[in-house]
Amino acid sequence: MIPAVMTSPATFQLGTLPYGYYWLRDASGNVLGRVKVTGTDEEGYVHTSYYNITINGVPPNTTSGSLTHNETWGDQNILTGSVDVPSGDTLKILPGSTVEFPSSASLTVNGVLIANGIYVNRITFTSTGSTSPGSWGSIVLSGSGASGSTIQYANIQYGTEVDVINASNVTIRNSSITNSSMNGINFSGSTGSALNNTISNSDIYHGIIVQNGSNVTCNQNVIYKTNQNQQGAGILFSGGNGNVWQNDVDYCNWGIAAIWGSSPQFSNQNNNNKNNCITNCQIGVMVYQQSYPTICPGAGAPPNYPTIYTGAGAPYSYYMGNSIHNNSINVALNTWYSTVSSLSAEYVYWGGTPVSSMFAVGSGSSIDYNNWLSTDPWSGAPLPSASPAPGGSGVKTNQVAARVTAPQSDAQSPRITTNGSVGANMSNSEDSLLVGIQLREQDKYKEAKDYFVSFLRRHPDQQAAYVELYNCADSATIQDIINFFKSLPTQASNVQDLLLSYLYLKEGEVNSARDVNDEIISKNANTSLAVRAELNNFFIELYNENDPTSASSILKHLQTEANLSTPMELSLAEDALMTYVDPKTGKMPNLKSVQGGNKELETQLPDKAGMTQNYPNPFNPATTMSYKLSVSGHVTLKVYDILGREVRTLINDYQTAGVHSVRFDAQNLASGVYFYRLTAPGITQVKKMVVTK
């Protein structure tokens, strides 16, 4: 209670108000108070009365710069610049508080952030006035000092993104992220959880990113694009892993993606028969380059597991109940890069009898969609019994063609080949990878590690086992796993070397990680693997060395190698540079000084040559692309769909140096995301555009 002195019948003089206290305010910003009046009457009786009052002119808390001690924020907090929480300090934000950011300001936490609202009294992070996406910077939880930070029941709006960089056990839950200009939540080199969040708006690119050796549980999140533009990925695992279940993803390029040594588990341990729902996306599930998500283990699994799981409910059912339908392509497996692998996706609702044209399969790979569900588990009905594939196994393969290019009408009979059921291969034997996966899901990391090592001694050519072993790394097992990966058998794919780089990063051995990447680049020149290793070095320079200048130099070179990597991966690196916040200063880099040009990322390209973003974008039906050439030469400008298939050649001719433009009419193309690639002397550049109809 704050003492008050009555100076007149209607005026109170309050004592000093404590900083950071949480004041209840009315809609006009006045602090709500209550006055207690006590007095003694002529007969000696004591009387007490209470009066509700409002207090005008109580200022909000204002601050900027580096905190010098632990602080608790409450009420309204208006930042006058970026704020840094040093390692060893804790910032606690009370329920019901607001934190308002000026333009470009960020909250960089090298210490611990405890921002825990409650259901009826949420915390709000917002701008000081603008309602435009990206009106302020990012919330960055950086380094081991930020481990254990939590954000829950928070509304995060009009910012750039939330970054978790090289931190452990960070939890973001029950929060909404709206009107961000880049991504929702980005985990890089970190562990933690993203639970029960809603991530939506028209400008956001990726919903949740799990990359660069991160292991994150992503459960029960709702991710969608309010303008239905299908940009970015809902949940993107890129060299990252974790559990992913009961997420609702709509209107993205890729609903859930696993690329470059990722093995997320679609395992719903609530066992309530309702798992992920992925609809209205260009590609429901995207998988490539030695990634092995466990969508469903296959029909042979149940007999193998009573000795592992003794509780109620067979673990096999944990993987059931995925609803993947109404996408342009439901599953794409190795369509960007040719990698021999198999994917079991049984007991999934595909919107009806599966049609093979909804599954894009790369050369030598196969998808098993046998035993599909006939009723949508997200419709509220009980999970039905599965429907067997009429006439065969329900396995789709493509042993010759790199991509499926022509729709096939075979709703009554899924494409059958002679290479058998992937589900049976994965699970119907004592050598099942799922034995180790289930051990790991019980947090028995040492037992799982021993199992996979033993498995690989017997089956050194089983590439998925290397990825699963890598995913068993914790403080007790990581050194043994590093030693194993340092002496990989000759049957192991070169891609597995990337996992050794990630393992070194988990141990904080940055130089060793960079050395592995450099060796990959040297031994695999002019390949997609070398580009991925160079991208890993980009993230090392940015997030481990905090050197945006060196990172920008790497990215500048990578853009000349765009034909060796997907546009999605390059845009992920571009976004990382644009949203990077220096953990020492809490400020974003001046891209003009970093890159030697204006603020646009086009300045990373070779001097005086480049392509600007098409305008308008999104568009219907036409847009214009402009570019400039520093020297004369042969020029090609081509348009590709989300699967990398060429849909239009706009330029294929000799052109002189100078400024050029071309009009692109997309009236015959479906709505969705497309990419256009300019190739000219000294430059290769890829950009994305969106057709809306």
Side-chain angles (χ1 to χ4, degrees):
M1 179 180 295
I2 301 173
V5 178
M6 180 179 289
T7 59
S8 71
T11 303
F12 293 89
Q13 181 66 46
L14 297 179
T16 302
L17 304 182
Y19 175 79
Y21 194 78
Y22 173 41
W23 298 111
L24 289 174
R25 296 178 185 259
D26 62 18
S28 299
N30 298 316
V31 172
L32 302 177
R34 200 175 193 199
V35 175
K36 175 182 179 181
V37 179
T38 301
T40 305
D41 64 18
E42 294 177 349
E43 298 179 357
Y45 292 100
V46 177
H47 301 271
T48 300
S49 295
Y50 295 90
Y51 299 92
N52 293 328
I53 63 171
T54 60
I55 306 172
N56 301 323
V58 178
N61 303 312
T62 59
T63 189
S64 65
S66 182
L67 304 187
T68 58
H69 54 273
N70 295 340
E71 286 197 15
T72 299
W73 291 0
D75 193 31
Q76 183 182 11
N77 302 272
I78 297 180
L79 307 188
T80 56
S82 293
V83 170
D84 166 47
V85 181
S87 180
D89 287 344
T90 297
L91 172 61
K92 183 177 182 181
I93 303 178
L94 299 176
S97 302
T98 63
V99 181
E100 299 182 18
F101 294 79
S103 176
S104 301
S106 297
L107 175 61
T108 306
V109 182
N110 300 289
V112 176
L113 174 66
I114 305 297
N116 293 344
I118 56 179
Y119 179 75
V120 295
N121 217 8
R122 300 169 75 92
I123 296 170
T124 299
F125 297 91
T126 189
S127 70
T128 53
S130 175
T131 57
S132 299
S135 296
W136 52 280
S138 303
I139 298 174
V140 183
L141 308 172
S142 179
S144 59
S147 298
S149 293
T150 60
I151 300 174
Q152 67 178 20
Y153 289 108
N155 297 328
I156 304 171
Q157 57 191 18
Y158 310 124
T160 302
E161 65 185 28
V162 178
D163 285 317
V164 183
I165 310 298
N166 301 325
S168 303
N169 300 318
V170 172
T171 300
I172 302 172
R173 64 186 306 162
N174 299 106
S175 296
S176 66
I177 301 176
T178 57
N179 293 298
S180 295
S181 62
M182 284 295 179
N183 306 299
I185 306 171
N186 170 34
F187 288 89
S188 182
S190 300
T191 63
S193 302
L195 312 172
N196 299 97
N197 300 293
T198 297
I199 303 173
S200 67
N201 70 283
S202 60
D203 293 277
I204 205 166
Y205 196 50
H206 302 300
I208 301 173
I209 303 169
V210 182
Q211 65 175 332
N212 303 330
S214 293
N215 193 309
V216 178
T217 298
C218 302
N219 297 344
Q220 298 179 303
N221 299 284
V222 177
I223 303 170
Y224 64 97
K225 306 297 176 60
T226 55
N227 61 357
Q228 303 181 9
N229 268 351
Q230 297 179 310
Q231 298 181 45
I235 303 176
L236 173 62
F237 291 87
S238 178
N241 297 287
N243 194 260
V244 52
W245 56 260
Q246 220 169 66
N247 298 281
D248 187 0
V249 182
D250 291 271
Y251 299 108
C252 297
N253 275 11
W254 304 344
I256 298 178
I259 64 177
W260 291 108
S262 299
S263 60
Q265 311 300 312
F266 289 50
S267 173
N268 178 1
Q269 297 187 21
N270 279 356
N271 197 24
N272 60 2
N273 298 329
K274 179 174 146 181
N275 213 326
N276 298 290
C277 181
I278 307 172
T279 57
N280 301 306
C281 297
Q282 285 279 321
I283 297 173
V285 177
M286 168 65 87
V287 183
Y288 63 75
Q289 281 296 35
Q290 298 296 334
S291 294
Y292 303 91
T294 305
I295 297 179
C296 195
N304 292 332
Y305 294 104
T307 58
I308 297 177
Y309 265 106
T310 57
Y316 176 59
S317 65
Y318 291 172
Y319 298 92
M320 297 173 65
N322 289 290
S323 180
I324 306 172
H325 65 98
N326 203 36
N327 305 291
S328 299
I329 297 291
N330 281 330
V331 178
L333 176 64
N334 293 322
T335 55
W336 274 104
Y337 304 109
S338 178
T339 305
V340 177
S341 64
S342 302
L343 179 67
S344 178
E346 297 194 10
Y347 296 93
V348 174
Y349 176 70
W350 302 109
T353 302
V355 179
S356 67
S357 60
M358 298 296 290
F359 300 86
V361 186
S363 176
S365 299
S366 64
I367 296 175
D368 175 9
Y369 52 81
N370 193 13
N371 298 314
W372 63 83
L373 303 180
S374 59
T375 304
D376 188 354
W378 280 69
S379 67
L383 188 69
S385 58
S387 302
S393 66
V395 178
K396 175 171 180 163
T397 67
N398 185 348
Q399 300 291 354
V400 179
R403 299 183 180 90
V404 177
T405 58
Q408 302 177 37
S409 178
D410 55 2
Q412 299 303 313
S413 181
R415 187 176 180 185
I416 308 301
T417 66
T418 58
N419 66 329
S421 169
V422 177
N425 292 337
M426 289 181 63
S427 57
N428 201 16
S429 72
E430 293 182 0
D431 270 351
S432 170
L433 294 180
L434 286 168
V435 174
I437 292 172
Q438 298 291 351
L439 287 169
R440 191 180 63 224
E441 287 189 348
Q442 297 176 82
D443 295 329
K444 297 179 179 179
Y445 287 95
K446 183 181 184 302
E447 292 88 341
K449 180 262 296 182
D450 292 341
Y451 179 86
F452 286 123
V453 169
S454 176
F455 180 97
L456 283 166
R457 289 194 182 110
R458 299 189 301 275
H459 308 288
D461 59 340
Q462 295 295 308
Q463 305 305 319
Y466 296 99
V467 180
E468 300 299 348
L469 172 61
Y470 155 75
N471 208 22
C472 295
D474 69 358
S475 58
T477 64
I478 189 169
Q479 196 56 56
D480 287 344
I481 298 174
I482 286 176
N483 291 336
F484 180 90
F485 273 86
K486 285 170 66 176
S487 303
L488 286 174
T490 57
Q491 295 94 326
S493 165
N494 289 340
V495 175
Q496 312 304 351
D497 290 329
L498 290 174
L499 302 183
L500 177 58
S501 172
Y502 293 137
L503 288 166
Y504 278 130
L505 285 179
K506 287 176 182 288
E507 282 286 82
E509 299 180 27
V510 175
N511 290 334
S512 296
R514 189 189 289 107
D515 289 343
V516 171
N517 292 328
D518 290 343
E519 186 175 0
I520 292 172
I521 295 168
S522 174
K523 291 182 177 180
N524 303 274
N526 300 316
T527 67
S528 59
L529 179 59
V531 171
R532 182 65 242 184
E534 198 166 358
L535 276 169
N536 288 352
N537 279 343
F538 164 85
F539 285 108
I540 286 175
E541 294 301 322
L542 192 66
Y543 289 148
N544 295 89
E545 303 291 2
N546 295 304
D547 186 351
T549 302
S550 296
S552 179
S553 178
I554 293 174
L555 186 54
K556 180 177 179 179
H557 175 257
L558 281 169
Q559 292 214 341
T560 69
E561 304 286 339
N563 59 315
L564 300 177
S565 187
T566 69
M568 186 80 80
E569 293 177 67
L570 290 177
S571 65
L572 186 63
E574 291 176 352
D575 290 350
L577 185 60
M578 290 186 68
T579 60
Y580 170 77
V581 176
D582 190 325
K584 296 179 181 179
T585 65
K587 297 180 180 180
M588 292 183 172
N590 182 335
L591 293 180
K592 182 175 181 179
S593 63
V594 168
Q595 298 162 8
N598 60 36
K599 193 173 182 180
E600 296 299 323
L601 279 175
E602 284 81 11
T603 57
Q604 296 170 7
L605 299 168
D607 292 343
K608 299 182 180 180
M611 179 170 56
T612 59
Q613 185 68 49
N614 64 296
Y615 182 83
N617 187 41
F619 65 96
N620 178 29
T623 188
T624 298
M625 300 119 163
S626 298
Y627 56 93
K628 62 180 180 178
L629 306 175
S630 57
V631 296
S632 301
H634 192 85
V635 176
T636 61
L637 181 59
K638 297 183 178 183
V639 179
Y640 300 83
D641 67 11
I642 191 64
L643 288 177
R645 298 176 295 204
E646 182 181 330
V647 298
R648 195 80 55 84
T649 297
L650 302 178
I651 301 291
N652 184 15
D653 202 355
Y654 181 90
Q655 291 189 332
T656 59
V659 178
H660 301 266
S661 64
V662 60
R663 186 175 184 271
F664 171 53
D665 192 328
Q667 61 180 347
N668 295 325
L669 296 180
S671 297
V673 174
Y674 295 84
F675 299 95
Y676 55 102
R677 172 183 292 146
L678 173 70
T679 302
I683 177 176
T684 299
Q685 186 179 9
V686 178
K687 285 186 174 291
K688 64 178 180 291
M689 58 185 174
V690 180
V691 178
T692 58
K693 294 186 176 181

